[in-house]
Coordinates of all heavy atoms in Angstrom, one line a residue:
A176 N -95.4 86.0 46.1 CA -94.5 84.9 45.9 C -93.4 84.9 47.0 O -92.5 84.1 46.8 CB -93.8 85.0 44.5
V177 N -93.6 85.6 48.1 CA -92.6 85.6 49.1 C -93.3 85.0 50.4 O -94.2 85.5 50.9 CB -92.1 87.0 49.4 CG1 -91.1 87.0 50.6 CG2 -91.4 87.6 48.2
G178 N -92.7 83.9 50.8 CA -93.2 83.2 52.0 C -92.1 83.0 53.1 O -91.2 83.8 53.2
L179 N -92.3 81.9 53.8 CA -91.3 81.5 54.8 C -90.4 80.3 54.4 O -90.8 79.6 53.5 CB -92.1 81.1 56.1 CG -93.0 82.1 56.6 CD1 -93.8 81.5 57.8 CD2 -92.3 83.4 57.1
D180 N -89.3 80.3 55.0 CA -88.3 79.2 54.7 C -88.0 79.1 53.2 O -88.1 78.0 52.6 CB -88.9 77.9 55.2 CG -87.8 76.8 55.3 OD1 -86.6 77.1 55.4 OD2 -88.2 75.6 55.2
V181 N -87.6 80.2 52.6 CA -87.3 80.3 51.2 C -85.9 79.7 50.9 O -84.9 80.1 51.5 CB -87.4 81.7 50.7 CG1 -87.2 81.8 49.2 CG2 -88.7 82.4 51.0
R182 N -85.9 78.7 50.0 CA -84.7 78.0 49.7 C -84.6 77.6 48.2 O -85.6 77.5 47.6 CB -84.5 76.7 50.6 CG -84.2 76.9 52.0 CD -84.0 75.6 52.7 NE -85.1 74.7 52.7 CZ -85.1 73.4 52.9 NH1 -83.9 72.8 53.1 NH2 -86.2 72.7 52.8
A183 N -83.4 77.5 47.7 CA -83.2 77.0 46.3 C -83.0 75.5 46.3 O -82.3 74.9 47.2 CB -82.0 77.7 45.7
F184 N -83.6 74.8 45.3 CA -83.5 73.4 45.2 C -83.0 73.1 43.8 O -83.6 73.4 42.8 CB -84.8 72.7 45.4 CG -85.3 72.7 46.8 CD1 -86.0 73.8 47.3 CD2 -85.1 71.6 47.6 CE1 -86.4 73.8 48.6 CE2 -85.6 71.6 48.9 CZ -86.2 72.7 49.4
P185 N -81.8 72.5 43.7 CA -81.3 72.1 42.3 C -82.3 71.2 41.6 O -82.9 70.3 42.2 CB -79.9 71.4 42.7 CG -79.5 71.9 44.0 CD -80.8 72.1 44.7
K186 N -82.4 71.4 40.3 CA -83.3 70.6 39.5 C -83.1 69.1 39.6 O -84.0 68.3 39.8 CB -83.3 71.0 38.1 CG -84.1 70.2 37.1 CD -83.8 70.6 35.7 CE -84.5 69.7 34.7 NZ -84.3 70.1 33.3
S187 N -81.8 68.7 39.5 CA -81.4 67.3 39.5 C -81.8 66.6 40.9 O -82.4 65.5 40.9 CB -80.0 67.1 39.2 OG -79.2 67.8 40.1
D188 N -81.5 67.3 42.0 CA -81.8 66.8 43.3 C -83.3 66.7 43.5 O -83.8 65.7 44.0 CB -81.2 67.7 44.4 CG -79.7 67.7 44.4 OD1 -79.1 66.8 43.6 OD2 -79.1 68.5 45.1
F189 N -84.1 67.7 43.0 CA -85.5 67.7 43.2 C -86.2 66.5 42.4 O -87.0 65.8 42.9 CB -86.1 69.0 42.7 CG -87.6 69.1 42.9 CD1 -88.2 69.5 44.0 CD2 -88.4 68.8 41.8 CE1 -89.6 69.5 44.1 CE2 -89.8 68.9 41.9 CZ -90.4 69.2 43.1
A190 N -85.7 66.4 41.1 CA -86.3 65.3 40.3 C -86.0 63.9 40.9 O -86.8 63.0 40.8 CB -85.8 65.5 38.9
G191 N -84.8 63.7 41.4 CA -84.4 62.4 41.9 C -85.2 62.1 43.2 O -85.5 61.0 43.4
A192 N -85.4 63.2 44.0 CA -86.1 62.9 45.3 C -87.6 62.8 45.1 O -88.3 62.4 46.1 CB -85.9 64.0 46.2
N193 N -88.1 63.1 43.9 CA -89.6 63.0 43.7 C -90.0 62.1 42.6 O -91.0 62.3 41.9 CB -90.1 64.4 43.4 CG -90.1 65.3 44.6 OD1 -91.0 65.3 45.5 ND2 -89.0 66.1 44.8
Q194 N -89.1 61.0 42.4 CA -89.4 60.0 41.4 C -90.8 59.3 41.7 O -91.1 59.0 42.8 CB -88.4 59.0 41.3 CG -87.1 59.5 40.7 CD -86.0 58.4 40.5 OE1 -86.2 57.3 40.9 NE2 -84.9 58.8 40.0
G195 N -91.6 59.2 40.6 CA -92.9 58.5 40.8 C -94.0 59.5 41.0 O -95.2 59.1 40.9
K196 N -93.7 60.8 41.3 CA -94.7 61.8 41.5 C -94.9 62.5 40.2 O -94.1 62.5 39.3 CB -94.3 62.8 42.6 CG -94.1 62.2 44.0 CD -93.7 63.3 45.0 CE -93.5 62.7 46.4 NZ -93.1 63.8 47.3
K197 N -96.1 63.1 40.1 CA -96.4 63.9 38.9 C -95.7 65.2 39.0 O -96.0 66.0 40.0 CB -97.9 64.1 38.8 CG -98.3 64.6 37.4 CD -99.8 64.5 37.2 CE -100.2 64.9 35.8 NZ -101.6 64.7 35.5
L198 N -94.8 65.5 38.1 CA -94.0 66.7 38.1 C -94.3 67.6 37.0 O -94.7 67.2 35.9 CB -92.5 66.4 38.1 CG -92.0 65.5 39.3 CD1 -90.5 65.2 39.1 CD2 -92.2 66.1 40.6
P199 N -94.1 68.9 37.2 CA -94.3 69.8 36.0 C -93.1 69.7 35.1 O -92.1 69.0 35.4 CB -94.3 71.2 36.7 CG -93.5 71.0 37.9 CD -93.8 69.6 38.4
R200 N -93.2 70.4 34.0 CA -92.1 70.5 33.0 C -91.0 71.4 33.6 O -91.2 72.6 33.6 CB -92.5 70.9 31.7 CG -91.4 70.9 30.6 CD -92.0 71.4 29.3 NE -92.4 72.7 29.2 CZ -93.7 73.1 29.2 NH1 -94.6 72.2 29.2 NH2 -94.0 74.4 29.2
L201 N -89.9 70.9 34.2 CA -88.9 71.7 34.8 C -87.9 72.1 33.8 O -87.3 71.3 33.1 CB -88.3 70.9 36.0 CG -89.2 70.4 37.1 CD1 -88.4 69.5 38.1 CD2 -89.9 71.5 37.7
M202 N -87.6 73.4 33.8 CA -86.5 74.0 33.0 C -85.2 74.2 33.8 O -84.1 74.0 33.2 CB -86.9 75.3 32.4 CG -88.3 75.2 31.7 SD -88.3 74.1 30.3 CE -87.2 75.0 29.2
G203 N -85.3 74.5 35.0 CA -84.1 74.8 35.8 C -84.4 74.4 37.3 O -85.2 73.6 37.7
D204 N -83.6 75.1 38.1 CA -83.7 74.9 39.6 C -85.0 75.5 40.1 O -85.7 76.3 39.4 CB -82.5 75.6 40.3 CG -81.2 75.0 39.8 OD1 -81.2 73.7 39.4 OD2 -80.2 75.6 39.9
L205 N -85.4 75.1 41.3 CA -86.7 75.6 41.9 C -86.4 76.4 43.1 O -85.3 76.3 43.8 CB -87.6 74.4 42.3 CG -88.0 73.4 41.1 CD1 -86.9 72.3 41.0 CD2 -89.3 72.8 41.4
I206 N -87.4 77.1 43.6 CA -87.4 77.9 44.8 C -88.5 77.4 45.7 O -89.7 77.5 45.3 CB -87.6 79.4 44.5 CG1 -86.5 79.9 43.6 CG2 -87.7 80.2 45.8 CD1 -86.7 81.4 43.2
G207 N -88.1 76.7 46.8 CA -89.1 76.1 47.7 C -89.4 77.1 48.8 O -88.5 77.8 49.3
E208 N -90.6 77.1 49.3 CA -91.0 77.9 50.4 C -92.3 77.5 51.0 O -93.1 76.6 50.4 CB -91.1 79.4 50.0 CG -92.0 79.6 48.8 CD -92.0 81.1 48.4 OE1 -91.8 81.9 49.2 OE2 -92.2 81.4 47.2
N209 N -92.7 78.0 52.1 CA -94.0 77.9 52.7 C -94.8 79.2 52.4 O -94.5 80.2 53.0 CB -93.9 77.5 54.2 CG -95.3 77.2 54.8 OD1 -96.2 78.1 54.8 ND2 -95.4 76.0 55.3
L210 N -95.8 79.0 51.6 CA -96.5 80.2 51.2 C -98.0 80.1 51.6 O -98.7 79.3 51.1 CB -96.4 80.4 49.6 CG -96.7 81.7 49.0 CD1 -95.9 82.8 49.6 CD2 -96.5 81.6 47.5
G211 N -98.4 81.0 52.5 CA -99.8 81.0 53.0 C -100.1 79.6 53.6 O -101.3 79.2 53.5
G212 N -99.2 79.0 54.3 CA -99.5 77.7 55.0 C -99.3 76.5 54.1 O -99.6 75.4 54.5
R213 N -99.0 76.7 52.8 CA -98.8 75.6 51.9 C -97.3 75.5 51.4 O -96.7 76.5 51.1 CB -99.7 75.8 50.7 CG -101.2 75.7 50.9 CD -102.0 75.8 49.6 NE -101.7 77.1 48.9 CZ -102.1 77.4 47.7 NH1 -102.8 76.4 47.0 NH2 -101.9 78.5 47.1
S214 N -96.8 74.3 51.5 CA -95.4 74.1 51.0 C -95.5 73.8 49.5 O -96.2 72.9 49.1 CB -94.8 73.0 51.8 OG -94.6 73.3 53.2
G215 N -94.6 74.5 48.8 CA -94.6 74.2 47.4 C -93.3 74.8 46.8 O -92.4 75.2 47.5
Y216 N -93.3 75.0 45.4 CA -92.1 75.4 44.7 C -92.5 76.3 43.6 O -93.5 76.1 42.9 CB -91.4 74.2 44.2 CG -91.1 73.2 45.2 CD1 -92.0 72.2 45.6 CD2 -89.8 73.1 45.9 CE1 -91.7 71.2 46.5 CE2 -89.5 72.2 46.8 CZ -90.5 71.3 47.2 OH -90.2 70.3 48.1
L217 N -91.7 77.3 43.4 CA -91.7 78.2 42.2 C -90.8 77.6 41.2 O -89.7 77.2 41.5 CB -91.3 79.6 42.5 CG -92.3 80.4 43.3 CD1 -91.7 81.7 43.8 CD2 -93.6 80.8 42.5
Y218 N -91.2 77.5 40.0 CA -90.4 76.9 38.9 C -90.7 77.6 37.6 O -91.8 78.2 37.4 CB -90.7 75.4 38.7 CG -92.0 75.1 38.2 CD1 -92.3 74.8 36.8 CD2 -93.2 75.1 39.0 CE1 -93.5 74.6 36.3 CE2 -94.4 74.8 38.5 CZ -94.6 74.6 37.1 OH -95.8 74.3 36.6
F219 N -89.7 77.6 36.7 CA -89.9 78.3 35.4 C -90.3 77.2 34.4 O -89.7 76.2 34.2 CB -88.5 78.9 34.9 CG -88.7 79.8 33.7 CD1 -89.4 81.0 33.8 CD2 -88.1 79.4 32.5 CE1 -89.5 81.8 32.7 CE2 -88.2 80.2 31.4 CZ -88.9 81.4 31.5
N220 N -91.4 77.4 33.7 CA -92.0 76.5 32.7 C -91.7 76.8 31.3 O -92.2 76.1 30.4 CB -93.5 76.3 32.9 CG -94.2 77.6 32.6 OD1 -93.7 78.5 32.0 ND2 -95.5 77.6 32.9
G221 N -90.8 77.7 31.1 CA -90.4 78.1 29.7 C -91.0 79.4 29.3 O -90.5 79.9 28.3
A222 N -92.0 79.8 30.0 CA -92.7 81.1 29.6 C -92.8 82.0 30.8 O -92.8 83.2 30.7 CB -94.1 80.8 28.9
Q223 N -93.1 81.4 32.0 CA -93.2 82.2 33.2 C -93.0 81.3 34.4 O -92.7 80.1 34.3 CB -94.7 82.8 33.2 CG -95.7 81.7 33.3 CD -97.1 82.3 33.3 OE1 -97.4 83.3 32.7 NE2 -98.0 81.6 34.1
Y224 N -93.0 82.0 35.5 CA -92.8 81.3 36.8 C -94.2 80.8 37.4 O -95.1 81.6 37.4 CB -92.1 82.1 37.8 CG -90.6 82.2 37.5 CD1 -90.0 83.1 36.7 CD2 -89.7 81.2 38.1 CE1 -88.7 83.1 36.4 CE2 -88.4 81.2 37.8 CZ -87.9 82.2 36.9 OH -86.5 82.2 36.6
S225 N -94.3 79.6 37.7 CA -95.5 79.0 38.2 C -95.3 78.4 39.6 O -94.2 78.2 40.0 CB -96.1 77.9 37.2 OG -96.3 78.5 36.0
W226 N -96.4 78.0 40.2 CA -96.4 77.4 41.5 C -96.7 75.9 41.4 O -97.6 75.5 40.8 CB -97.4 78.1 42.4 CG -97.5 77.5 43.8 CD1 -98.5 76.8 44.3 CD2 -96.6 77.7 44.9 NE1 -98.2 76.4 45.6 CE2 -97.1 77.0 46.0 CE3 -95.3 78.4 45.0 CZ2 -96.4 77.0 47.2 CZ3 -94.7 78.4 46.2 CH2 -95.2 77.7 47.3
Y227 N -95.9 75.1 42.1 CA -96.0 73.7 42.1 C -96.3 73.2 43.6 O -95.5 73.4 44.4 CB -94.8 73.0 41.6 CG -94.8 71.5 41.8 CD1 -95.7 70.7 41.1 CD2 -93.9 70.9 42.6 CE1 -95.8 69.3 41.3 CE2 -93.9 69.5 42.9 CZ -94.8 68.7 42.2 OH -94.8 67.3 42.4
D228 N -97.5 72.7 43.7 CA -97.9 72.1 45.0 C -98.0 70.6 44.8 O -98.9 70.1 44.1 CB -99.2 72.6 45.5 CG -99.6 72.1 46.9 OD1 -99.1 71.1 47.3 OD2 -100.4 72.8 47.6
P229 N -97.0 69.8 45.3 CA -97.1 68.3 45.0 C -98.3 67.6 45.5 O -98.7 66.5 44.9 CB -95.8 67.8 45.8 CG -95.5 68.8 46.8 CD -96.0 70.1 46.3
K230 N -99.1 68.2 46.4 CA -100.3 67.5 46.8 C -101.5 67.7 45.9 O -102.4 66.8 45.9 CB -100.7 68.1 48.2 CG -99.7 67.7 49.3 CD -100.1 68.3 50.7 CE -99.1 67.9 51.8 NZ -99.5 68.4 53.1
I231 N -101.5 68.8 45.1 CA -102.7 69.0 44.3 C -102.4 69.2 42.8 O -103.2 69.5 42.0 CB -103.5 70.3 44.8 CG1 -102.6 71.5 44.7 CG2 -103.9 70.1 46.3 CD1 -103.3 72.8 45.1
F232 N -101.1 69.1 42.5 CA -100.7 69.3 41.1 C -101.4 68.3 40.1 O -101.4 67.2 40.3 CB -99.2 69.2 40.9 CG -98.7 69.5 39.5 CD1 -98.7 70.8 39.0 CD2 -98.2 68.4 38.7 CE1 -98.2 71.0 37.8 CE2 -97.8 68.7 37.5 CZ -97.8 70.0 37.0
A233 N -102.1 68.9 39.1 CA -102.8 68.1 38.1 C -102.2 68.2 36.7 O -102.7 67.6 35.8 CB -104.3 68.5 38.1

Side-chain angles (χ1 to χ4, degrees):
V177 179
L179 302 175
D180 194 24
V181 184
R182 291 185 296 161
F184 289 83
K186 173 185 174 181
S187 57
D188 294 351
F189 178 84
N193 290 275
Q194 290 183 356
K196 296 181 181 179
K197 193 167 187 177
L198 300 177
R200 184 178 66 253
L201 301 177
M202 307 300 292
D204 300 333
L205 302 89
I206 300 173
E208 58 183 327
N209 186 297
L210 198 55
R213 296 184 297 170
S214 294
Y216 306 85
L217 288 166
Y218 69 97
F219 191 68
N220 64 10
Q223 64 183 32
Y224 283 89
S225 298
W226 177 254
Y227 170 66
D228 185 337
K230 294 182 179 179
I231 62 173
F232 181 73

